[in-house]
Every structure is written in structure tokens, then in C-alpha cells.
């Protein structure tokens, strides 16, 4: 077996101990004589798995009691539609436009009501988080929508917008569990599992109870949060194996000192790479320093041939999936929670050797 340092933006690196545990339990989960993927979702043993996953997530995120945790399917992308379908009672929302994922969220929300784009960083290819002017906020908006971490462009909010009485909704797909958030500041948080929580196929929604039940009568049953909240994410078959993996990841987060412990490690890991980028004459970060992500770090040389040569060199050292997204170019290192510090160290060493001409 030869594991690589996988810098993929998602699906992405998993904690090795989680994979090992899943392997060890693959054929016989807890003496049940079967794999988790073979179990009825109505069985007591599976009910215990999903209950414990939820309890662990509540514990590590400090989710208040008046919030529901839902394990859904359809990806973060389905939430772009479910959020307006369920929350747009007055037919209006505010959105801050910070990249490709808010673009999609805006397009979906427009199908259900009026969308006020409060601010945008499109003018500079989304390399920063725009400063917000409160006079542009709609007082009668049903919610105010942000993407806390922009996976493609490598930006993140370091401060949440103060939306007063207006419900804050966040797409946290690429930085959930990476830093401490006060869940009470949000009305709804959603995240696909495949970046920081587990395998693809699970979408977690954390929703304040008073926001449930507002869907119009034409909203399909499966797209109504109330359906899933009332049935404990068991209205229909949930993504059973994926939820189990999420539970293992949440336990792993606990073992790392919780989200606060993880955040400290993430700051150190990202710091290693940013420090080098700030001193390098060859590689340059593309994001304004005050808005830099801890999770996704794009960087360029400005020359496509040099980028390609670097990516090739990295690959030869077992450093993979660092090619940048086409909309930024160059390279992108996604250093999610499960990326060990040694992986970042190996990448920085590779960059140093490449820059100093130690490799051809
Ligand atoms: C990956 C990602 C998405 C899309 O997730 P899917 O699960 O593929 O629908 C949406 N928003 C953000 C911020 C992402 O990183």
C-alpha cells in the first residue's frame, strides 16, 4: 500500500484512523454479523449509529437544543434550492456573491423570489471577501446568505456579517469543523460531507426549529425540511453508510481536541504554506491576505509551463491533486482537517526545492 498526500478539493483526504476503523468493522459491525451498508435503517443497531453521529456533531459544534440536525442527500447543491423553497416566506433574500457556489445559489434562489446581491467580489475574480455596507441590506429579507469558505477561490470570512434580526444562512461545505463557529449566530448551516466530514452522499443541515414548517404547499415532501425533521432523517432511507462514516469522523475530531484543537492545527498548517508563499519569488498566493482560507490555498507562478512542471515534480513525490481550478489556474492545495502537517511540510519542501532549482 502506498498512500499519497492528497490535496484534492473534494472528495478529499480522510483521517487514516477512520478508514482503518471502517475497514475493521466492514464485515461485522459491533458483533451484528453484518456490514453497516447491509443493515436496515429501521434496525436498533442502525438507529444507534445515527443517534450517536448526531450526538457527536452536537457536542463538537456546540449545537443548541433548539436546532435540528438533518442528514440528507442531494449534495450542497440541492440546498441552493431547498433553502429558498423553505425559508422565502416574503419572497426576498440577501446574498453576498463570493464565487462559483454563490453564483449557483443566486440562480436557484431567483426561481423562488427576489434576490438582492448585497456585495460581490467578482470584479477581482473573487480574490477577497467584500466589505459589507449595512445600508444595502434588505430589512424585510427572509434570510441573508453567505458561503463561509470559498473552495475554488480560497477566501473565507474572518468575521460574520451582523444581520440583526435577519436570519443568517451559511453554506459551510468546505470549512465546517475547521474552526470554531457559534451555531447560535446562524438560522441554518448546511454542508456536503465530502470535504471535512466524510464520504460523498451525505449533506448535513443544521436548522433552527422556528425555521421549519414554512414551505409552501407545492413544495415536494422530500424537499421540505419538516419531513426530515419530524422523522429524524428517516422519512426514507438515509445515506446509511455515509452517516456512519460521518460519525467516525466526528469521533476523530473529538480525539483531536475538538474543533478548537483542529482549528489550532489548521492555523499552523495554513501558516506554513502562507509563510512560504509570502517569502517566495516564484510562487504567489492569489488571495488578499486578510481573507485567506485555512482550507483551500490557491497559488500561481504566472507561467503555465512552470506550473505544469511543478505539478509533475510534486506528483513524483506523492503529492497529488494540486492542479488549480480552471477559474484561478496554477495550483490549489486543499488542506482539510484530515491533511496531516507532514503533508503540508512535504508540499512546502517540494516548492522550496523547485524554486531553488534543485529539481529540473
Ligand atoms: C463542494 C461545494 C459545493 C457543492 O457540493 P455538492 O455536494 O457537489 O453539491 C457547494 N458549496 C461549496 C462551498 C462547496 O465547497
Amino acid at each position: 500500500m502506498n498512500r499519497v498526500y492528497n490535496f484534492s478539493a473534494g472528495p478529499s483526504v480522510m483521517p487514516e484512523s477512520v478508514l482503518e476503523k471502517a475497514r475493521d468493522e466492514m464485515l461485522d459491525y459491533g458483533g451484528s454479523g453484518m456490514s453497516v451498508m447491509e443493515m436496515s435503517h429501521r434496525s436498533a443497531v442502525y438507529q444507534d449509529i445515527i443517534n450517536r453521529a448526531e450526538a457527536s456533531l452536537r457536542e463538537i459544534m456546540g449545537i443548541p437544543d433548539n436546532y435540528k440536525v438533518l442528514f440528507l442527500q442531494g449534495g450542497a447543491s440541492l440546498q441552493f434550492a431547498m433553502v429558498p423553497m423553505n425559508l422565502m416566506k416574503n419572497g426576498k433574500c440577501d446574498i453576498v456573491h463570493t464565487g462559483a457556489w454563490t453564483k449557483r445559489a443566486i440562480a436557484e434562489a431567483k426561481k423562488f423570489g427576489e434576490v438582492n446581491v448585497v456585495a460581490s467580489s467578482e470584479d477581482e475574480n473573487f480574490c477577497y471577501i467584500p466589505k459589507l455596507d449595512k445600508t444595502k441590506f434588505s430589512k424585510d429579507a427572509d434570510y441573508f446568505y453567505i458561503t463561509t469558505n470559498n473552495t475554488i477561490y480560497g477566501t473565507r470570512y474572518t468575521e460574520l456579517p451582523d444581520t440583526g434580526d435577519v436570519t443568517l444562512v451559511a453554506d459551510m461545505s468546505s470549512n465546517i469543523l475547521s474552526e470554531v463557529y457559534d451555531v447560535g449566530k446562524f438560522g441554518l448551516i448546511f454542508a456536503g460531507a465530502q470535504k471535512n466530514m466524510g464520504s460523498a452522499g451525505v449533506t448535513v443541515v443544521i436548522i433552527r426549529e422556528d425555521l421549519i414548517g414554512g414551505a409552501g404547499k407545492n413544495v415536494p415532501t422530500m424537499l421540505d425540511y419538516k419531513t426530515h425533521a419530524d422523522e429524524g432523517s428517516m422519512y426514507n432511507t438515509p445515506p446509511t453508510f455515509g452517516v456512519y462514516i460521518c460519525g467516525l469522523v466526528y469521533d476523530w475530531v473529538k480525539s483531536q481536541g475538538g474543533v478548537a484543537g483542529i482549528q489550532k492545527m489548521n492555523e499552523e498548517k495554513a501558516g506554513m504554506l502562507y509563510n512560504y508563499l509570502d517569502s517566495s519569488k516564484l510562487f504567489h498566493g492569489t488571495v488578499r491576505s486578510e481573507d485567506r482560507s485555512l482550507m483551500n490555498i490557491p497559488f500561481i507562478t504566472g507561467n503555465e509551463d512552470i506550473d505544469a512542471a511543478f505539478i509533475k515534480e510534486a506528483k513524483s513525490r506523492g503529492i497529488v491533486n494540486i492542479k488549480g481550478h480552471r477559474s484561478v489556474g496554477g495550483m490549489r492545495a486543499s488542506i482539510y482537517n484530515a491533511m496531516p502537517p507532514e503533508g503540508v511540510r512535504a508540499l512546502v519542501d517540494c516548492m522550496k526545492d523547485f524554486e531553488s532549482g534543485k529539481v529540473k
Side-chain angles (χ1 to χ4, degrees):
M1 186 177 62
N2 190 15
R3 302 260 309 157
V4 293
Y5 289 124
N6 177 11
F7 289 87
S8 168
S12 45
V13 58
M14 293 277 291
E16 225 160 73
S17 63
V18 166
L19 298 176
E20 284 164 353
K21 186 146 192 352
R23 175 198 61 199
D24 293 345
E25 296 178 336
M26 184 63 74
L27 277 79
D28 176 7
Y29 174 83
S32 66
M34 62 179 91
S35 171
V36 174
M37 69 180 89
E38 298 174 299
M39 281 174 191
S40 165
H41 59 294
R42 306 286 176 202
S43 61
V45 58
Y46 189 74
Q47 189 64 55
D48 182 59
I49 289 173
I50 194 167
N51 288 351
R52 283 200 285 139
E54 177 177 340
S56 294
L57 184 62
R58 285 185 175 279
E59 182 185 333
I60 57 181
M61 286 187 78
I63 300 173
D65 288 343
N66 62 326
Y67 285 69
K68 293 281 192 213
V69 173
L70 312 176
F71 295 100
L72 307 180
Q73 304 187 58
S77 298
L78 184 57
Q79 295 310 308
F80 299 158
M82 274 178 82
V83 166
M85 285 174 117
N86 284 268
L87 268 47
M88 258 199 191
K89 292 178 198 155
N90 298 320
K92 194 189 247 187
C93 70
D94 282 358
I95 301 188
V96 183
H97 185 25
T98 51
W101 298 117
T102 53
K103 185 172 183 202
R104 287 201 181 168
I106 290 166
E108 289 297 288
K110 277 185 174 165
K111 297 182 179 184
F112 302 98
E114 190 186 325
V115 177
N116 174 32
V117 177
V118 175
S120 165
S121 49
E122 192 168 15
D123 59 342
E124 289 185 45
N125 200 29
F126 303 110
C127 74
Y128 67 101
I129 298 289
K131 292 275 167 289
L132 301 178
D133 171 3
K134 274 197 187 178
T135 64
K136 300 226 166 102
F137 295 11
S138 319
K139 298 223 161 28
D140 56 346
D142 291 308
Y143 60 90
F144 188 107
Y145 181 104
I146 60 169
T147 300
T148 48
N149 182 79
N150 293 278
T151 325
I152 292 174
Y153 299 92
T155 61
R156 101 181 204 275
Y157 286 79
T158 51
E159 211 180 307
L160 294 175
D162 176 6
T163 59
D165 292 337
V166 175
T167 298
L168 184 61
V169 172
D171 175 358
M172 224 180 250
S173 292
S174 54
N175 77 332
I176 193 164
L177 306 181
S178 74
E179 60 182 285
V180 176
Y181 279 107
D182 178 356
V183 174
K185 293 212 161 95
F186 301 86
L188 189 153
I189 293 168
F190 67 85
Q194 68 270 25
K195 280 129 188 176
N196 249 342
M197 286 192 293
S199 56
V202 182
T203 310
V204 169
V205 173
I206 302 163
I207 180 171
R208 211 176 56 222
E209 282 168 353
D210 62 280
L211 297 171
I212 298 169
K217 66 175 177 13
N218 291 329
V219 169
T221 307
M222 277 293 287
L223 302 185
D224 186 341
Y225 291 126
K226 188 169 191 315
T227 304
H228 303 287
D230 286 351
E231 301 288 337
S233 304
M234 293 274 204
Y235 170 74
N236 70 325
T237 317
T240 51
F241 193 77
V243 171
Y244 156 70
I245 296 291
C246 284
L248 296 182
V249 171
Y250 303 153
D251 291 342
W252 173 80
V253 169
K254 270 193 239 177
S255 76
Q256 304 297 302
V259 177
I262 291 268
Q263 174 172 353
K264 188 163 171 286
M265 284 184 269
N266 286 336
E267 284 164 354
E268 284 166 12
K269 285 188 293 176
M272 254 195 272
L273 190 44
Y274 285 128
N275 282 343
Y276 181 63
L277 285 172
D278 287 343
S279 69
S280 171
K281 294 196 165 45
L282 179 65
F283 298 103
H284 309 286
T286 59
V287 172
R288 282 194 199 164
S289 53
E290 65 272 25
D291 298 325
R292 287 165 160 180
S293 169
L294 295 175
M295 297 282 97
N296 312 97
I297 305 184
F299 56 96
I300 56 171
T301 65
N303 177 317
E304 280 180 28
D305 294 334
I306 297 175
D307 290 345
F310 175 70
I311 290 165
K312 190 161 165 248
E313 171 62 23
K315 194 165 181 213
S316 77
R317 298 183 184 204
I319 296 167
V320 305
N321 290 324
I322 56 160
K323 189 169 169 26
H325 190 276
R326 62 191 178 282
S327 48
V328 180
M331 281 66 65
R332 171 177 50 170
S334 292
I335 52 173
Y336 294 115
N337 291 351
M339 172 58 66
E342 304 81 69
V344 181
R345 170 66 57 208
L347 174 61
V348 171
D349 285 347
C350 182
M351 292 165 76
K352 281 184 185 162
D353 289 349
F354 189 84
E355 180 165 5
S356 66
K358 281 200 196 124
V359 292
K360 287 280 162 310

